[in-house]
Amino acid sequence: MPSRITDASVEAMLTREKALFLQRNPKSGTLADQSSKHWLRGVPMHWMVDWGTPFPLFIAKASGVDLTDADGNSYVDFCLGDTGAMFGHSPRALAETLRRASEDGFTTMLPSPDAPVVGELLAERFGLPFWQVTATASDANRSVLRWCRAITGRKKILIFNGCYHGAVDETFVSLANGRQIADPALIGEPRDLNELTKVVEFNDIAALEAALSPSDVACVLAEPVMTNIGMVLPDDGFLAALRAITRRTGTILVMDETHCMSSGPGGYSGASGLEPDAIVLGKPIAGGVPAAVYGFSDEIAQRIRAYLATRTPGHSGIGTTLSGSKLQLALMRTMLETYFTREAFAPLIELAKRLEKGIADVIIKYGAPWHVVRVGARVEFMCSPDRPRNGGEAARIIHQPVDMAIHHYLLNRGVVITPFHNMMLVCPATTKAHVESLIQGLDHCLAELV
């Protein structure tokens, strides 16, 4: 029989853990008060308050998987900057490159000798021959959407309900009771985004076919696994159907691998043989220093060249001054050569399997109505017995009070997982002991909750 976790037990844990957080972190509290005088919401970037704690932790040092806050408390980090530090904080090879590159200039608005090497490495890893650099994955997604619209002459894009592709306006459209609506949380958008975007549920082949059949969609922008609303895996055959339908309807298929890079050195697309027309990758490509890339197939690149030959000179709306800098290319070269390899990924995936099994054992031990899922070195548990098949189902599961209670409990005991949902990453600095500390923390938390 499943164990019952009552609202009362969750509320009692959350109340107690918030009080403990205040007791453990007086210096962070003082820093939060000081920061509120000049920073919006008291933080340099307003998401930093989304951890749900009474005030943010102020981190003094991060190395490998070790965090130290302003009060001297130590933590094992499984969040890793929500994938930005997927290979650990300040990995040695990257830190050495950063020190060396810092003496040779940061940005010149001209290519460096690393450019041809990085281009070749990207082509080898991801199977697409032509690439560009941006500062963030949001920038990369915006650029790709512009290119796709330009070469197809189509205005609309298609996304999946519950997706997340950074701060790209057209992707903030969702389904509510079967009706397509612009996300009411989007700040300051003056347009009706429904005119630009179609949205269907992930794993719904019939809905995808119907949406693309008019041949008015420039591209499908998708993650191969939905990762920002819990983790929603593709059904058997769904990605193959997605690839076949996009080809049949002349729709460009763009895979956002920013989170799914946990799958291996070529992302989930490489591991599954998906063959997208374009790939976007941000966050970990330069080890957490702002950089992202997007790549195209040879066919798409030829269409872009043909389009550019007809284009009126002037501002393109694509590219920013600091994109493709010497520093970005130097760091990307190190990341691709050192960490985006099968040899580097193999032990991470094995350790993530150990974490997945350990969490599953805890769930079974207490009869909790939860499940756990893994994609390469990325693990997530959701407080529901059944795996969601789409964003609509996932949205009804995540962000429950029990999630918040678990996060607070683990945080107060020196274990950090992603605040927005229950995601954990394994990196080269993660050890079996670190994994066991998380598993034991979750075990003790569940013992109290049930």
Side-chain angles (χ1 to χ4, degrees):
M1 291 289 291
S3 297
R4 178 165 172 74
I5 299 174
T6 66
D7 292 343
S9 66
V10 170
E11 183 178 355
M13 175 176 286
L14 195 51
T15 299
R16 183 194 68 202
E17 295 302 325
K18 284 188 174 182
L20 180 57
F21 180 89
L22 293 172
Q23 180 183 342
R24 282 169 48 89
N25 300 290
K27 290 184 180 178
S28 278
T30 299
L31 289 168
D33 289 339
Q34 294 171 347
S35 292
S36 65
K37 297 175 182 178
H38 299 291
W39 292 106
L40 181 64
R41 302 184 78 190
V43 286
M45 198 272 283
H46 69 102
W47 294 1
M48 291 178 176
V49 301
D50 288 351
W51 290 75
T53 48
F55 46 77
L57 277 180
F58 283 70
I59 300 301
K61 184 178 180 181
S63 177
V65 293
D66 299 315
L67 301 181
T68 304
D69 67 22
D71 288 277
N73 299 312
S74 298
Y75 305 85
V76 177
D77 188 9
F78 287 90
C79 173
L80 295 173
D82 195 24
T83 310
M86 191 178 84
F87 297 98
H89 300 287
S90 299
R92 182 180 298 277
L94 191 73
E96 291 175 353
T97 298
L98 182 59
R99 282 192 290 270
R100 183 175 64 253
S102 68
E103 300 177 356
D104 297 327
F106 297 151
T107 184
T108 62
M109 212 173 72
L110 288 167
S112 73
D114 285 324
V117 179
V118 172
E120 184 174 358
L121 289 167
L122 288 168
E124 289 175 355
R125 298 293 186 272
F126 297 98
L128 296 176
F130 294 101
W131 292 84
Q132 290 281 273
V133 177
T134 67
T136 68
S138 295
D139 292 335
N141 279 321
R142 288 192 198 97
S143 298
V144 168
L145 295 187
R146 284 181 176 269
W147 286 121
C148 290
R149 286 176 168 137
I151 66 176
T152 62
R154 302 174 181 180
K155 292 183 178 180
K156 293 182 181 291
I157 67 166
L158 184 141
I159 58 171
F160 292 106
N161 187 37
C163 71
Y164 183 72
H165 298 288
V168 180
D169 291 359
E170 299 98 309
T171 65
F172 287 88
V173 180
S174 58
L175 294 174
N177 299 317
R179 186 170 62 91
Q180 182 173 310
I181 63 168
D183 192 330
L186 183 61
I187 296 172
E189 173 53 53
R191 301 166 294 175
D192 181 2
L193 295 177
N194 290 297
E195 296 179 1
L196 303 171
T197 306
K198 294 184 180 183
V199 57
V200 300
E201 291 286 12
F202 197 69
N203 283 321
D204 190 336
I205 296 175
L208 178 67
E209 183 90 59
L212 296 184
S213 61
S215 296
D216 60 349
V217 173
C219 67
V220 172
L221 176 59
E223 290 183 287
V225 175
M226 296 187 75
T227 62
N228 212 64
I229 195 159
M231 278 212 291
V232 181
L233 299 177
D235 289 346
D236 289 342
F238 175 70
L239 293 179
L242 171 62
R243 178 65 282 190
I245 295 168
T246 50
R247 281 182 171 141
R248 188 167 65 250
T249 58
T251 309
I252 297 169
L253 179 58
V254 183
M255 280 292 138
D256 186 340
E257 291 275 3
T258 298
H259 285 164
C260 296
M261 265 311 306
S262 62
S263 307
Y268 195 95
S269 296
S272 62
L274 181 57
E275 298 182 353
D277 301 303
I279 281 177
V280 171
L281 172 62
K283 293 187 182 180
I285 189 64
V289 172
V293 293
Y294 61 94
F296 289 120
S297 67
D298 184 62
E299 178 192 352
I300 299 300
Q302 289 182 31
R303 293 172 68 180
I304 288 174
R305 293 190 195 100
Y307 167 78
L308 289 174
T310 67
R311 178 179 168 270
T312 301
H315 298 117
S316 67
I318 297 176
T320 55
T321 306
L322 298 182
S323 298
S325 70
K326 286 180 87 285
L327 182 62
Q328 288 172 322
L329 287 167
L331 296 177
M332 285 193 288
R333 178 174 179 172
T334 295
M335 293 304 294
L336 287 163
E337 289 178 336
T338 309
Y339 300 106
F340 283 64
T341 68
R342 295 187 184 280
E343 294 76 16
F345 264 93
L348 308 186
I349 292 173
E350 286 305 308
L351 194 53
K353 290 178 180 178
R354 185 185 186 98
L355 176 58
E356 178 189 26
K357 183 181 184 302
I359 292 174
D361 289 343
V362 171
I363 290 171
I364 293 168
K365 176 180 177 179
Y366 293 100
W370 300 355
H371 72 274
V372 60
V373 65
R374 181 185 59 81
V375 174
R378 184 184 183 100
V379 180
E380 178 135 5
F381 64 90
M382 299 183 75
C383 300
S384 168
D386 302 315
R387 293 183 181 180
R389 292 188 58 247
N390 56 54
E393 292 178 7
R396 293 188 286 272
I397 296 172
I398 65 171
H399 305 316
Q400 299 180 50
V402 66
D403 296 302
M404 186 70 71
I406 294 165
H407 294 180
H408 280 68
Y409 185 96
L410 293 175
L411 191 64
N412 283 332
R413 286 150 188 83
V415 177
V416 179
I417 66 175
T418 306
F420 313 115
H421 41 100
N422 306 323
M423 188 278 288
M424 298 146 286
L425 282 164
V426 169
C427 78
T430 310
T431 66
K432 292 180 180 179
H434 293 141
V435 167
E436 289 305 315
S437 69
L438 195 162
I439 294 169
Q440 290 175 13
L442 188 61
D443 186 312
H444 296 159
C445 180
L446 258 176
E448 294 192 33
L449 284 174
V450 299

